[in-house]
PDB file of all heavy atoms in Angstrom:
ATOM      1  N   LYS A   1      47.956  38.477  13.412  1.00 35.00           N
ATOM      2  CA  LYS A   1      49.309  37.938  13.332  1.00 35.00           C
ATOM      3  C   LYS A   1      49.944  38.294  11.993  1.00 35.00           C
ATOM      4  O   LYS A   1      51.128  38.650  11.917  1.00 35.00           O
ATOM      5  CB  LYS A   1      49.282  36.423  13.501  1.00 35.00           C
ATOM      6  CG  LYS A   1      49.074  35.967  14.942  1.00 35.00           C
ATOM      7  CD  LYS A   1      49.145  34.466  15.026  1.00 35.00           C
ATOM      8  CE  LYS A   1      49.018  33.982  16.465  1.00 35.00           C
ATOM      9  NZ  LYS A   1      49.080  32.520  16.571  1.00 35.00           N
ATOM     10  N   LEU A   2      49.163  38.185  10.925  1.00 32.00           N
ATOM     11  CA  LEU A   2      49.689  38.516   9.612  1.00 32.00           C
ATOM     12  C   LEU A   2      50.091  39.981   9.550  1.00 32.00           C
ATOM     13  O   LEU A   2      51.165  40.325   9.048  1.00 32.00           O
ATOM     14  CB  LEU A   2      48.638  38.208   8.542  1.00 32.00           C
ATOM     15  CG  LEU A   2      49.011  38.640   7.110  1.00 32.00           C
ATOM     16  CD1 LEU A   2      50.269  37.911   6.664  1.00 32.00           C
ATOM     17  CD2 LEU A   2      47.841  38.373   6.174  1.00 32.00           C
ATOM     18  N   ALA A   3      49.242  40.867  10.067  1.00 35.00           N
ATOM     19  CA  ALA A   3      49.552  42.297  10.036  1.00 35.00           C
ATOM     20  C   ALA A   3      50.813  42.599  10.836  1.00 35.00           C
ATOM     21  O   ALA A   3      51.652  43.407  10.428  1.00 35.00           O
ATOM     22  CB  ALA A   3      48.371  43.093  10.587  1.00 35.00           C
ATOM     23  N   LEU A   4      50.950  41.960  11.990  1.00 34.00           N
ATOM     24  CA  LEU A   4      52.131  42.197  12.814  1.00 34.00           C
ATOM     25  C   LEU A   4      53.385  41.665  12.131  1.00 34.00           C
ATOM     26  O   LEU A   4      54.452  42.276  12.196  1.00 34.00           O
ATOM     27  CB  LEU A   4      51.960  41.526  14.177  1.00 34.00           C
ATOM     28  CG  LEU A   4      51.114  42.321  15.159  1.00 34.00           C
ATOM     29  CD1 LEU A   4      50.660  41.430  16.293  1.00 34.00           C
ATOM     30  CD2 LEU A   4      51.886  43.501  15.693  1.00 34.00           C
ATOM     31  N   PHE A   5      53.273  40.529  11.451  1.00 29.00           N
ATOM     32  CA  PHE A   5      54.431  39.983  10.756  1.00 29.00           C
ATOM     33  C   PHE A   5      54.886  40.941   9.655  1.00 29.00           C
ATOM     34  O   PHE A   5      56.084  41.195   9.487  1.00 29.00           O
ATOM     35  CB  PHE A   5      54.078  38.620  10.157  1.00 29.00           C
ATOM     36  CG  PHE A   5      55.177  38.038   9.313  1.00 29.00           C
ATOM     37  CD1 PHE A   5      56.276  37.433   9.917  1.00 29.00           C
ATOM     38  CD2 PHE A   5      55.122  38.107   7.935  1.00 29.00           C
ATOM     39  CE1 PHE A   5      57.298  36.902   9.143  1.00 29.00           C
ATOM     40  CE2 PHE A   5      56.138  37.585   7.164  1.00 29.00           C
ATOM     41  CZ  PHE A   5      57.223  36.968   7.764  1.00 29.00           C
ATOM     42  N   VAL A   6      53.925  41.488   8.916  1.00 31.00           N
ATOM     43  CA  VAL A   6      54.276  42.449   7.871  1.00 31.00           C
ATOM     44  C   VAL A   6      54.969  43.662   8.464  1.00 31.00           C
ATOM     45  O   VAL A   6      55.974  44.158   7.961  1.00 31.00           O
ATOM     46  CB  VAL A   6      53.010  42.879   7.095  1.00 31.00           C
ATOM     47  CG1 VAL A   6      53.325  44.031   6.160  1.00 31.00           C
ATOM     48  CG2 VAL A   6      52.451  41.698   6.315  1.00 31.00           C
ATOM     49  N   ALA A   7      54.420  44.168   9.570  1.00 32.00           N
ATOM     50  CA  ALA A   7      55.000  45.347  10.194  1.00 32.00           C
ATOM     51  C   ALA A   7      56.412  45.074  10.688  1.00 32.00           C
ATOM     52  O   ALA A   7      57.317  45.899  10.535  1.00 32.00           O
ATOM     53  CB  ALA A   7      54.121  45.814  11.353  1.00 32.00           C
ATOM     54  N   LEU A   8      56.628  43.918  11.291  1.00 29.00           N
ATOM     55  CA  LEU A   8      57.943  43.600  11.854  1.00 29.00           C
ATOM     56  C   LEU A   8      58.991  43.386  10.776  1.00 29.00           C
ATOM     57  O   LEU A   8      60.153  43.776  10.921  1.00 29.00           O
ATOM     58  CB  LEU A   8      57.842  42.341  12.721  1.00 29.00           C
ATOM     59  CG  LEU A   8      57.314  42.559  14.134  1.00 29.00           C
ATOM     60  CD1 LEU A   8      57.015  41.214  14.781  1.00 29.00           C
ATOM     61  CD2 LEU A   8      58.312  43.329  14.970  1.00 29.00           C
ATOM     62  N   THR A   9      58.602  42.783   9.683  1.00 29.00           N
ATOM     63  CA  THR A   9      59.593  42.450   8.675  1.00 29.00           C
ATOM     64  C   THR A   9      59.834  43.584   7.685  1.00 29.00           C
ATOM     65  O   THR A   9      60.885  43.622   7.039  1.00 29.00           O
ATOM     66  CB  THR A   9      59.140  41.206   7.883  1.00 29.00           C
ATOM     67  OG1 THR A   9      57.828  41.439   7.351  1.00 29.00           O
ATOM     68  CG2 THR A   9      59.110  39.987   8.784  1.00 29.00           C
ATOM     69  N   CYS A  10      58.910  44.515   7.591  1.00 32.00           N
ATOM     70  CA  CYS A  10      59.039  45.564   6.581  1.00 32.00           C
ATOM     71  C   CYS A  10      59.357  46.935   7.156  1.00 32.00           C
ATOM     72  O   CYS A  10      59.919  47.780   6.462  1.00 32.00           O
ATOM     73  CB  CYS A  10      57.748  45.683   5.766  1.00 32.00           C
ATOM     74  SG  CYS A  10      57.330  44.176   4.850  1.00 32.00           S
ATOM     75  N   ALA A  11      58.975  47.198   8.395  1.00 30.00           N
ATOM     76  CA  ALA A  11      59.138  48.542   8.938  1.00 30.00           C
ATOM     77  C   ALA A  11      60.602  48.812   9.261  1.00 30.00           C
ATOM     78  O   ALA A  11      61.284  47.992   9.848  1.00 30.00           O
ATOM     79  CB  ALA A  11      58.292  48.703  10.191  1.00 30.00           C
ATOM     80  N   LEU A  12      61.076  50.001   8.886  1.00 30.00           N
ATOM     81  CA  LEU A  12      62.415  50.442   9.214  1.00 30.00           C
ATOM     82  C   LEU A  12      62.324  51.553  10.232  1.00 30.00           C
ATOM     83  O   LEU A  12      61.317  52.264  10.296  1.00 30.00           O
ATOM     84  CB  LEU A  12      63.115  50.959   7.943  1.00 30.00           C
ATOM     85  CG  LEU A  12      63.321  49.925   6.835  1.00 30.00           C
ATOM     86  CD1 LEU A  12      63.910  50.603   5.609  1.00 30.00           C
ATOM     87  CD2 LEU A  12      64.236  48.804   7.297  1.00 30.00           C
ATOM     88  N   PRO A  13      63.355  51.757  11.068  1.00 32.00           N
ATOM     89  CA  PRO A  13      63.325  52.864  12.015  1.00 32.00           C
ATOM     90  C   PRO A  13      63.107  54.182  11.274  1.00 32.00           C
ATOM     91  O   PRO A  13      63.747  54.452  10.267  1.00 32.00           O
ATOM     92  CB  PRO A  13      64.717  52.806  12.661  1.00 32.00           C
ATOM     93  CG  PRO A  13      65.135  51.375  12.515  1.00 32.00           C
ATOM     94  CD  PRO A  13      64.566  50.938  11.209  1.00 32.00           C
ATOM     95  N   LEU A  14      62.208  54.992  11.766  1.00 33.00           N
ATOM     96  CA  LEU A  14      61.899  56.266  11.116  1.00 33.00           C
ATOM     97  C   LEU A  14      61.401  57.248  12.157  1.00 33.00           C
ATOM     98  O   LEU A  14      61.088  56.887  13.280  1.00 33.00           O
ATOM     99  CB  LEU A  14      60.862  56.070  10.007  1.00 33.00           C
ATOM    100  CG  LEU A  14      59.613  55.229  10.332  1.00 33.00           C
ATOM    101  CD1 LEU A  14      58.551  56.114  10.951  1.00 33.00           C
ATOM    102  CD2 LEU A  14      59.091  54.535   9.110  1.00 33.00           C
ATOM    103  N   ALA A  15      61.324  58.496  11.753  1.00 39.00           N
ATOM    104  CA  ALA A  15      60.828  59.533  12.658  1.00 39.00           C
ATOM    105  C   ALA A  15      59.355  59.744  12.369  1.00 39.00           C
ATOM    106  O   ALA A  15      58.990  60.491  11.480  1.00 39.00           O
ATOM    107  CB  ALA A  15      61.605  60.827  12.458  1.00 39.00           C
ATOM    108  N   ALA A  16      58.515  59.041  13.063  1.00 49.00           N
ATOM    109  CA  ALA A  16      57.073  59.140  12.861  1.00 49.00           C
ATOM    110  C   ALA A  16      56.460  59.951  13.999  1.00 49.00           C
ATOM    111  O   ALA A  16      57.127  60.280  14.971  1.00 49.00           O
ATOM    112  CB  ALA A  16      56.462  57.742  12.794  1.00 49.00           C
ATOM    113  N   GLN A  17      55.167  60.227  13.851  1.00 56.00           N
ATOM    114  CA  GLN A  17      54.534  61.110  14.811  1.00 56.00           C
ATOM    115  C   GLN A  17      53.884  60.364  15.960  1.00 56.00           C
ATOM    116  O   GLN A  17      54.141  60.646  17.118  1.00 56.00           O
ATOM    117  CB  GLN A  17      53.471  61.954  14.096  1.00 56.00           C
ATOM    118  CG  GLN A  17      52.779  62.960  14.970  1.00 56.00           C
ATOM    119  CD  GLN A  17      53.739  63.915  15.611  1.00 56.00           C
ATOM    120  OE1 GLN A  17      54.201  63.694  16.713  1.00 56.00           O
ATOM    121  NE2 GLN A  17      54.073  64.974  14.934  1.00 56.00           N
ATOM    122  N   ASN A  18      53.030  59.447  15.662  1.00 67.00           N
ATOM    123  CA  ASN A  18      52.312  58.732  16.703  1.00 67.00           C
ATOM    124  C   ASN A  18      51.990  57.352  16.170  1.00 67.00           C
ATOM    125  O   ASN A  18      52.422  56.981  15.080  1.00 67.00           O
ATOM    126  CB  ASN A  18      51.050  59.505  17.101  1.00 67.00           C
ATOM    127  CG  ASN A  18      50.776  59.399  18.580  1.00 67.00           C
ATOM    128  OD1 ASN A  18      50.986  58.363  19.179  1.00 67.00           O
ATOM    129  ND2 ASN A  18      50.313  60.470  19.175  1.00 67.00           N
ATOM    130  N   VAL A  19      51.203  56.579  16.897  1.00 72.00           N
ATOM    131  CA  VAL A  19      51.049  55.178  16.544  1.00 72.00           C
ATOM    132  C   VAL A  19      49.604  54.741  16.767  1.00 72.00           C
ATOM    133  O   VAL A  19      48.857  55.382  17.505  1.00 72.00           O
ATOM    134  CB  VAL A  19      52.037  54.327  17.383  1.00 72.00           C
ATOM    135  CG1 VAL A  19      51.607  54.290  18.838  1.00 72.00           C
ATOM    136  CG2 VAL A  19      52.185  52.928  16.830  1.00 72.00           C
ATOM    137  N   ASP A  20      49.236  53.627  16.117  1.00 72.00           N
ATOM    138  CA  ASP A  20      47.839  53.209  16.103  1.00 72.00           C
ATOM    139  C   ASP A  20      47.517  52.092  17.079  1.00 72.00           C
ATOM    140  O   ASP A  20      46.534  51.382  16.891  1.00 72.00           O
ATOM    141  CB  ASP A  20      47.456  52.752  14.683  1.00 72.00           C
ATOM    142  CG  ASP A  20      48.219  51.513  14.254  1.00 72.00           C
ATOM    143  OD1 ASP A  20      49.303  51.264  14.818  1.00 72.00           O
ATOM    144  OD2 ASP A  20      47.737  50.796  13.364  1.00 72.00           O
ATOM    145  N   ILE A  21      48.305  51.883  18.121  1.00 77.00           N
ATOM    146  CA  ILE A  21      47.975  50.803  19.043  1.00 77.00           C
ATOM    147  C   ILE A  21      46.656  51.123  19.763  1.00 77.00           C
ATOM    148  O   ILE A  21      46.308  52.280  19.993  1.00 77.00           O
ATOM    149  CB  ILE A  21      49.111  50.541  20.045  1.00 77.00           C
ATOM    150  CG1 ILE A  21      49.397  51.759  20.919  1.00 77.00           C
ATOM    151  CG2 ILE A  21      50.356  50.095  19.329  1.00 77.00           C
ATOM    152  CD1 ILE A  21      50.447  51.488  21.984  1.00 77.00           C
ATOM    153  N   GLU A  22      45.938  50.057  20.100  1.00 76.00           N
ATOM    154  CA  GLU A  22      44.561  50.222  20.583  1.00 76.00           C
ATOM    155  C   GLU A  22      44.453  51.079  21.839  1.00 76.00           C
ATOM    156  O   GLU A  22      43.410  51.679  22.099  1.00 76.00           O
ATOM    157  CB  GLU A  22      43.956  48.841  20.843  1.00 76.00           C
ATOM    158  CG  GLU A  22      43.682  48.012  19.592  1.00 76.00           C
ATOM    159  CD  GLU A  22      44.889  47.229  19.116  1.00 76.00           C
ATOM    160  OE1 GLU A  22      46.032  47.595  19.460  1.00 76.00           O
ATOM    161  OE2 GLU A  22      44.699  46.253  18.381  1.00 76.00           O
ATOM    162  N   ALA A  23      45.503  51.143  22.652  1.00 75.00           N
ATOM    163  CA  ALA A  23      45.445  51.917  23.885  1.00 75.00           C
ATOM    164  C   ALA A  23      45.157  53.390  23.639  1.00 75.00           C
ATOM    165  O   ALA A  23      44.670  54.094  24.522  1.00 75.00           O
ATOM    166  CB  ALA A  23      46.753  51.776  24.668  1.00 75.00           C
ATOM    167  N   LEU A  24      45.453  53.880  22.422  1.00 76.00           N
ATOM    168  CA  LEU A  24      45.230  55.287  22.098  1.00 76.00           C
ATOM    169  C   LEU A  24      43.923  55.522  21.358  1.00 76.00           C
ATOM    170  O   LEU A  24      43.597  56.645  21.017  1.00 76.00           O
ATOM    171  CB  LEU A  24      46.400  55.817  21.257  1.00 76.00           C
ATOM    172  CG  LEU A  24      47.783  55.730  21.928  1.00 76.00           C
ATOM    173  CD1 LEU A  24      48.865  56.187  20.977  1.00 76.00           C
ATOM    174  CD2 LEU A  24      47.817  56.544  23.198  1.00 76.00           C
ATOM    175  N   SER A  25      43.170  54.451  21.105  1.00 77.00           N
ATOM    176  CA  SER A  25      41.902  54.586  20.405  1.00 77.00           C
ATOM    177  C   SER A  25      40.875  55.301  21.283  1.00 77.00           C
ATOM    178  O   SER A  25      40.735  55.000  22.467  1.00 77.00           O
ATOM    179  CB  SER A  25      41.368  53.207  20.019  1.00 77.00           C
ATOM    180  OG  SER A  25      40.075  53.295  19.469  1.00 77.00           O
ATOM    181  N   GLY A  26      40.152  56.232  20.684  1.00 69.00           N
ATOM    182  CA  GLY A  26      39.098  56.927  21.411  1.00 69.00           C
ATOM    183  C   GLY A  26      39.572  57.895  22.454  1.00 69.00           C
ATOM    184  O   GLY A  26      38.780  58.416  23.237  1.00 69.00           O
TER     185      GLY A  26
END
């Protein structure tokens, strides 16, 4: 929850490549 709160409050829209959600792990 803490990590998600940091991400939601600090992240700005940007052109990134990919993402670290667990569905893409492995």
Side-chain angles (χ1 to χ4, degrees):
K1 284 183 177 180
L2 174 61
L4 279 163
F5 175 78
V6 171
L8 279 169
T9 54
C10 298
L12 297 175
L14 47 86
Q17 183 57 268
N18 217 322
V19 70
D20 65 337
I21 61 176
E22 290 85 338
L24 301 176
S25 174

